[in-house]
Amino acid sequence: MAHEVIMPALGMAQETGKIVSWQKQAGDAVKIGDVLMEVETDKAIMDVEALADGYLGSISAAAGEDVPVGQVIALISDKIDAAPAVSHELPMASTEPPTGQSIIMPALGMAQETGLIVAWHKAPGDKVGAEDILLEVETDKSTMEVPAGHDGFISALLADSGQEVPVGDVIAVISTTAPKAPFQSTAETRKPAQEPVGDPSPAPVELKAATATQIVASNPVVVPGSRIFASPKTRRLAAEQGLDLGRLVAIGHPQPYHVADLEKLHNLPLAELNNEVQSLALPNQITARVPSGGTQDFLDWMQEEGNVTLAPSTIWIAFAAAALRSALEAGDDILVISLMDLQAKVRSLTNPDRARLSCLTESDPDAVASLILRDLSDSPITGIRLAGSKEPSLSITTLGNDYQICLDFTTDQLSDLQAIQFITEFSDRLTDPLRHLL
């Protein structure tokens, strides 16, 4: 006789549950009370336990799949030979992904070889627009949002959150019509995490350090207050032992966390924590959105009236220097603005706000920059948060017919008031370049 394992209702209004991971594999012997899987619903991750003794088999839903409440997802059989073969793929009409527009892992940096998928914002079968955010990709020390680039429906997702994918590999397929059987797979074999038998219960350790919300990771990038994915048992043991799961986030240990991960946390040297916090803390950020028409109108005017061709970044760098000088009340101080493009090529200019746009002065290679300006306008990036640097960082991306402006800074570089004044004055200049230049 086989016992059915169904997706449980873990909340009053719950309609589906997402399988985070399987804790048992097909053929494993299970007992009543053993954790079979972890299910995410709303804002919690819950352990689902076996309600019968036997052998697990006939698993019909994979990790990462949303399953309707009440649907049968596995069987527990009396005999091991009664357990059918296991499929870790989602149901689909054929063995090949649906046809459509292939979405590849983008190259977001000159030397980038792989990208880490931090999170998918769309699921198989979802309808998407070209400017909808499809996923977040981490490269180097930043996490970037990548738009879909095409209108249609998600026919296939070919990589998991948390997976590193080589640049150029296909990670999704967008079709023009709604797929009958959305496809989800991974480039690597899934290996469900196993919780150790018994309770290791390492000795309690007193932590004299920051809490999880005060520690921010560079791999993956996590903003303060973000959720930490861990099983209830792991959270309970961590609290009992005085262990901070935020430290695992800070060193880039992959989530979700299980009891076995507490041993690594237990062995982390406390002496290094202050350095972790200082080096991984993200700066403050202010964003603004400005119509790009003003800049383009000015560039057209310069071409028609003076036969002068300028890049938009030339105007940006002059306006950034002028706005920074005003915010800092720098007077006649020397300001060096470093311009960085998508290929990470750097051009440093001295006092670009006090020179003709066609005759900007290059800085000494060893000069310390007052501000880094990143021109990301030709990339698909629509939003960005960068890890802390020695200088304030101003990034410009495009969003439809607008410029998206992001200022990353620390209080050591700019006060809140100075940062607000800077981004306001810079935005005003971009809106009406001719008035400010003349």
Side-chain angles (χ1 to χ4, degrees):
M1 178 179 174
H3 175 82
E4 293 181 341
V5 179
I6 65 171
M7 173 58 67
L10 303 174
M12 185 173 60
Q14 179 192 348
E15 296 181 354
T16 64
K18 182 178 181 179
I19 299 176
V20 177
S21 65
W22 282 97
Q23 301 301 302
K24 297 290 184 180
Q25 300 183 61
D28 284 355
V30 296
K31 293 182 178 296
I32 295 175
D34 286 354
V35 176
L36 296 180
M37 60 180 170
E38 294 177 324
V39 172
E40 178 185 353
T41 170
D42 193 17
K43 295 183 179 181
I45 294 180
M46 312 278 292
D47 290 335
V48 176
E49 300 177 351
L51 300 179
D53 295 338
Y55 298 90
L56 183 65
S58 205
I59 297 175
S60 60
E65 184 178 352
D66 283 305
V67 180
V69 168
Q71 180 173 311
V72 177
I73 50 181
L75 296 176
I76 296 177
S77 304
D78 294 333
K79 300 179 180 179
I80 191 169
D81 57 0
V86 178
S87 170
H88 281 291
E89 299 295 342
L90 298 183
M92 58 184 178
S94 67
T95 58
E96 295 297 326
T99 58
Q101 180 65 48
S102 295
I103 308 301
I104 65 171
M105 173 59 69
L108 304 175
M110 183 173 63
Q112 178 191 348
E113 296 181 354
T114 63
L116 176 68
I117 298 177
V118 177
W120 286 101
H121 285 224
K122 299 293 181 180
D126 285 355
K127 185 177 181 180
V128 295
E131 294 187 2
D132 288 351
I133 301 303
L134 181 61
L135 73 160
E136 294 178 40
V137 173
E138 179 188 343
T139 169
D140 194 16
K141 292 185 178 180
S142 64
T143 297
M144 302 181 184
E145 295 176 336
V146 178
H150 303 275
D151 296 331
F153 298 84
I154 303 297
S155 291
L157 295 183
L158 305 177
D160 275 340
S161 297
Q163 181 178 334
E164 285 207 33
V165 181
V167 168
D169 275 13
V170 177
I171 55 177
V173 177
I174 296 177
S175 59
T176 55
T177 58
K180 294 181 180 179
F183 178 93
Q184 183 165 359
S185 183
T186 59
E188 299 177 355
T189 303
R190 287 189 177 95
K191 297 180 179 179
Q194 293 289 323
E195 295 237 358
V197 177
D199 183 353
S201 300
V205 177
E206 181 183 359
L207 287 182
K208 299 179 179 179
T211 63
T213 56
Q214 295 172 298
I215 302 176
V216 205
S218 60
N219 183 23
V221 173
V222 178
V223 297
S226 291
R227 252 194 303 170
I228 296 177
F229 290 94
S231 69
K233 184 177 180 181
T234 304
R235 291 182 183 277
R236 175 176 58 79
L237 291 176
E240 290 175 355
Q241 298 162 19
L243 300 174
D244 188 350
L245 294 174
R247 296 197 66 195
L248 291 178
V249 178
I251 63 171
H253 195 63
Q255 301 184 45
Y257 300 138
H258 304 279
V259 172
D261 296 312
L262 295 180
E263 187 64 24
K264 183 173 184 65
L265 178 57
H266 177 65
N267 292 328
L268 284 178
L270 289 175
E272 296 177 3
L273 182 58
N274 289 335
N275 291 333
E276 290 173 11
V277 176
Q278 293 173 5
S279 64
L280 296 174
L282 290 176
N284 301 317
Q285 185 179 83
I286 298 177
T287 62
R289 189 169 175 175
V290 178
S292 60
T295 298
Q296 191 56 53
D297 290 346
F298 176 77
L299 294 175
D300 293 342
W301 178 79
M302 288 287 288
Q303 177 65 41
E304 294 171 2
E305 298 295 327
N307 197 29
V308 176
T309 301
L310 296 174
S313 57
T314 303
I315 302 175
W316 301 342
I317 201 169
F319 284 168
L324 186 63
R325 190 182 300 278
S326 175
L328 296 176
E329 299 180 352
D332 294 328
D333 292 350
I334 296 175
L335 295 181
V336 176
I337 310 297
S338 291
L339 178 65
M340 184 178 296
D341 61 16
L342 277 172
Q343 285 70 46
K345 294 180 181 178
V346 179
R347 182 187 179 199
S348 294
L349 302 167
T350 299
N351 292 337
D353 57 327
R354 297 192 170 183
R356 297 180 61 182
L357 292 176
S358 57
C359 303
L360 300 182
T361 304
E362 300 285 341
S363 299
D364 185 293
D366 297 326
V368 178
S370 309
L371 175 77
I372 296 176
L373 193 156
R374 288 180 168 84
D375 179 6
L376 306 176
S377 57
D378 289 333
S379 78
I381 300 166
T382 58
I384 186 171
R385 176 181 283 277
L386 301 173
S389 63
K390 295 180 180 179
E391 310 86 4
S393 174
L394 184 69
S395 302
I396 301 181
T397 62
T398 52
L399 189 61
N401 294 322
D402 296 337
Y403 290 131
Q404 186 87 0
I405 304 166
C406 297
L407 173 66
D408 293 292
F409 68 99
T410 65
T411 52
D412 292 336
Q413 300 161 353
L414 297 171
S415 69
D416 291 345
L417 184 60
Q418 289 172 333
I420 292 171
Q421 182 180 344
F422 167 75
I423 204 74
T424 301
E425 292 198 14
F426 180 74
S427 299
D428 287 345
R429 286 173 163 82
L430 282 193
T431 301
D432 191 359
L434 190 59
R435 179 171 68 86
H436 287 276
L437 286 170
L438 298 182

